[in-house]
Amino acid sequence: MEFKSLEITAEELAALDPSSYLLIDLRDEDAYEHGKIPGAIRLDPEEISEGDFSMFAEAAASSKKIILYCKYGIISEDLALLLRDKGYEAYHNAQGYGRWALEEIKREAANEEKRERVEKSLTKKFRKDLFSRFTKAIVRYKLVEEGDIS
């Protein structure tokens, strides 16, 4: 897949083979630790803007795309432009991490088979505990008595 634009969407990123790119998370350490796109490595934006491009040598040598993302797509755009000026094949996710996370949630929700497995697992794990309490409450508080159902 060839991209002319500097921007790459969450959908385009999902369609790429992960071995074809180097994914860089530009958010702060706390944000990175709370959630990241799988395979991403965290870099401090200042390292790049100060001219330290050593971490991109391997990507350039193997013709990998460099894809940057941040919270909103602003910092990543500036740094992708800087990397392009230096001759790297760089892109940025203009929609930021939040949009990627939202799209990932939508993809997971659409996965009916996975949803059913999770539901079955939860039912199996909590059924005895919840069902026994439920039936005890019905008996104790006489919630259902003879003649209630016609």
Side-chain angles (χ1 to χ4, degrees), residues 112-125:
E112 184 67 23
E113 182 181 311
K114 184 174 182 178
R115 186 196 63 75
E116 286 176 3
R117 279 196 323 267
V118 169
E119 187 176 307
K120 188 174 183 177
S121 173
L122 288 171
T123 301
K124 185 178 178 181
K125 183 172 184 170

Side-chain angles (χ1 to χ4, degrees), residues 80-99:
L81 285 168
L82 175 65
L83 288 171
R84 280 208 175 173
D85 288 345
K86 299 295 180 184
Y88 295 97
E89 186 181 359
Y91 303 90
H92 86 107
N93 182 333
Q95 301 161 323
Y97 175 77
R99 178 63 185 265

Side-chain angles (χ1 to χ4, degrees), residues 13 15-23 38-39 58-59 62-65 67:
L13 180 60
L16 289 174
D17 176 2
S19 67
S20 71
Y21 60 84
L22 175 64
L23 188 59
E58 185 182 326
S62 60
S63 300
K64 286 186 174 183
K65 296 169 181 51
I67 301 174

Side-chain angles (χ1 to χ4, degrees), residues 101-118:
L102 180 62
E103 293 301 320
E104 189 64 18
I105 289 168
K106 287 179 183 176
R107 271 193 295 281
E108 289 293 324
N111 186 341
E112 184 67 23
E113 182 181 311
K114 184 174 182 178
R115 186 196 63 75
E116 286 176 3
R117 279 196 323 267
V118 169

Side-chain angles (χ1 to χ4, degrees), residues 25-105:
D25 187 321
L26 300 169
R27 299 171 305 139
D28 64 43
E29 188 70 35
D30 286 340
Y32 179 78
E33 291 301 322
H34 281 94
K36 60 188 171 285
I37 299 175
I41 59 170
R42 187 192 167 281
L43 289 179
D44 188 332
E46 289 181 12
E47 290 179 53
I48 302 168
S49 59
E50 291 173 358
D52 183 2
F53 304 112
S54 60
M55 69 282 295
F56 303 117
E58 185 182 326
S62 60
S63 300
K64 286 186 174 183
K65 296 169 181 51
I66 298 168
I67 301 174
L68 306 153
Y69 71 92
C70 59
K71 189 172 183 177
Y72 299 114
I74 298 167
I75 296 168
S76 59
E77 180 178 22
D78 292 342
L79 293 177
L81 285 168
L82 175 65
L83 288 171
R84 280 208 175 173
D85 288 345
K86 299 295 180 184
Y88 295 97
E89 186 181 359
Y91 303 90
H92 86 107
N93 182 333
Q95 301 161 323
Y97 175 77
R99 178 63 185 265
W100 174 86
L102 180 62
E103 293 301 320
E104 189 64 18
I105 289 168

Side-chain angles (χ1 to χ4, degrees), residues 135-148:
T135 54
K136 284 179 186 176
I138 289 174
V139 171
R140 175 187 248 172
Y141 299 109
K142 300 178 183 174
L143 299 175
V144 178
E145 293 182 332
E146 213 172 306
D148 284 350

